[in-house]
Amino acid sequence: MKLIAELDNLADAFAAELAGVASAAEAESLRNVRLGRKGDLAALMNRLPELPAEERPAFGKAANAVKERLNRLLEDRLAAFRAEAEDASLSRFDPTLPGRMPERGSLHPITLVMEEICGILNNLGFETVYGPEVETDFHNFGALNFPDDHPARDMQDTLFIAEGIVMRTHTSPMQVRAMLERKKPPVAVIAPGKVYRRDYDLTHSPMFHQIEGLLVDENISLAHLRGVLTHFLREFFGADVKLRFRPSFFPFTEPSVEVDMSCLICRGSGRREDGKGGEDGCRVCKGTGWLEILGAGMVDPAVFAAVGFDPACAGFAFGLGVERVAMLKYGIDDLRMFFENDLRFLGQFVK
Ligand SMILES: [Zn+2]
């Protein structure tokens, strides 16, 4: 039984070698050399014809038993390597370390300012309405009493989509839409949203935000406009803010006013902290003590006529630039900060 003896030798050698391997990879290569299809055990089994016929079944049985046993030894060893690797990785895991918090997003400062403004005006009874950013010439200009040759219709200012279709240049078309929808007074709406012009520099962006206000009812006067704007600006900027109206011109209001508020930095004095006044005074208001904040006026009878309201109606309208208001509130001097999406900037407004 020479072959049987070699079988035992092979099994002993394999067991000794397996005890000496240092890694799962080494164990695998040992499996190939000893137990693989071209390995030592296979070579031994190929010598079966050397045996007398009556011994062959016993040898075949013994060889298969050895193969099975050695494979089991090898699997145990591989399992031991896997368990070791798992222990090692667990020992590197420190359950006492603090977790990593996911970063929290925040609303954009323009959104925050719009929400705050709308909130104040909603409390006065104005309803928030929204409308399309692509407008007809009728809603954006015609019904708002812009003559056909008004410079705002020029290619320089307006982005045209097609003949008679524009990107709205202001939120005022929402006055027209609100009155057409309500059909008669009273109308009290505010319309926040994006507007578009061909313009880009430190203080102008081709897309920016406005909030439009419109109140139409009986016996409305400039005094009501002044009351609403005073309340709004004091709620938003502080109780000591003063207002002044300057005569101005807009096609859709008559009379029209430019509304200034007292400077937030010098409190309307126009002077610097060291007392210097005039042109050398406060940098923010350029020594005047006043900041332009919005445009407004009494709705022009021509607008009422265009939407089918009795031209004897009375109402006021106002429009303000949200970026302008946000810059004043937060002391930001470059409009482009709002549109560059720098998280270090945007993260400062988290509420
Ligand atoms: Zn000032």
Side-chain angles (χ1 to χ4, degrees):
M1 292 294 282
K2 190 166 160 273
L3 275 184
I4 292 279
E6 285 191 42
L7 200 57
D8 288 341
N9 290 344
L10 188 142
D12 292 346
F14 180 90
E17 282 167 341
L18 188 63
V21 301
S23 69
E26 278 181 43
E28 288 289 2
S29 92
L30 181 66
R31 188 209 310 257
N32 275 335
V33 172
R34 297 295 190 197
L35 310 178
R37 264 200 299 158
K38 291 180 177 168
D40 297 336
L41 183 64
L44 214 53
M45 288 169 90
N46 284 340
R47 287 167 57 195
L48 192 67
E50 292 175 15
L51 292 174
E54 67 275 16
E55 287 178 17
R56 287 179 194 170
F59 175 74
K61 210 175 159 191
N64 278 328
V66 165
K67 187 175 184 179
E68 214 169 276
R69 182 162 61 86
L70 297 187
N71 265 317
R72 214 164 37 239
L73 281 178
L74 191 110
E75 287 302 334
D76 290 350
R77 191 82 170 105
L78 285 173
F81 280 124
R82 279 197 296 274
E84 245 172 63
E86 204 164 291
D87 282 352
S89 85
L90 273 179
S91 73
R92 285 195 300 274
F93 172 73
D94 181 354
T96 66
L97 281 174
R100 290 190 195 107
M101 290 292 286
E103 283 195 49
R104 283 185 66 186
S106 59
L107 290 176
H108 194 280
I110 294 296
T111 305
L112 290 173
V113 166
M114 282 212 285
E115 284 186 351
E116 187 176 350
I117 293 173
C118 289
I120 295 168
L121 292 164
N122 289 153
N123 284 345
L124 289 179
F126 289 87
E127 183 194 342
T128 304
V129 293
Y130 301 91
E133 292 169 19
V134 177
E135 266 295 8
T136 66
D137 183 279
F138 170 76
H139 291 93
N140 196 77
F141 294 125
L144 291 166
N145 199 31
F146 280 76
D148 285 340
D149 58 354
H150 193 277
R153 290 183 162 186
D154 203 293
M155 294 295 285
Q156 295 295 319
D157 297 309
T158 305
L159 293 157
F160 286 86
I161 299 294
E163 182 70 30
I165 306 289
V166 300
M167 297 303 290
R168 69 177 177 190
T169 57
H170 49 180
T171 41
S172 305
M174 286 310 293
Q175 292 183 29
V176 178
R177 288 184 176 276
M179 286 190 281
L180 285 174
E181 189 189 309
R182 305 292 158 93
K183 296 192 174 68
K184 59 181 181 17
V187 177
V189 294
I190 47 170
K194 294 183 173 75
V195 300
Y196 301 84
R197 294 185 198 172
R198 282 169 56 109
D199 223 345
Y200 188 54
D201 61 30
L202 264 180
T203 51
H204 296 91
S205 153
M207 185 281 292
F208 56 102
H209 300 79
Q210 285 188 343
I211 295 178
E212 192 79 9
L214 173 72
L215 174 66
V216 183
D217 205 343
E218 287 170 11
N219 300 319
I220 298 295
S221 74
L222 271 183
H224 297 106
L225 171 63
R226 192 177 175 101
V228 165
L229 293 180
T230 301
H231 172 79
F232 155 59
L233 290 172
R234 286 185 175 169
E235 285 283 307
F236 191 79
F237 285 110
D240 58 346
V241 165
K242 292 183 189 65
L243 239 68
R244 76 174 180 187
F245 283 2
R246 280 183 292 113
S248 185
F249 173 78
F250 303 107
F252 43 103
T253 45
E254 180 58 36
S256 301
V257 293
E258 204 77 55
V259 181
D260 296 342
M261 66 171 191
S262 49
C263 176
L264 300 164
I265 303 303
C266 64
R267 301 272 157 216
S269 73
R271 287 190 295 274
R272 290 197 312 218
E273 276 178 15
D274 60 9
K276 271 209 170 183
E279 279 181 20
D280 292 331
C282 173
R283 196 175 57 87
V284 172
C285 63
K286 301 191 176 66
T288 63
W290 294 98
L291 298 167
E292 286 179 25
I293 187 79
L294 57 88
M298 300 305 293
V299 179
D300 193 294
V303 177
F304 287 138
V307 297
F309 274 33
D310 182 348
C313 282
F316 66 72
F318 59 89
L320 62 91
V322 179
E323 281 80 1
R324 165 102 181 129
V325 171
M327 287 168 83
L328 288 172
K329 184 174 178 88
Y330 296 123
I332 295 159
D333 53 11
D334 187 343
L335 175 76
R336 291 172 294 197
M337 301 288 282
F338 290 124
F339 305 117
E340 284 172 350
N341 292 329
D342 183 335
L343 292 180
R344 291 167 301 179
F345 171 74
L346 297 176
Q348 296 174 37
F349 305 94
V350 176
K351 265 197 174 170

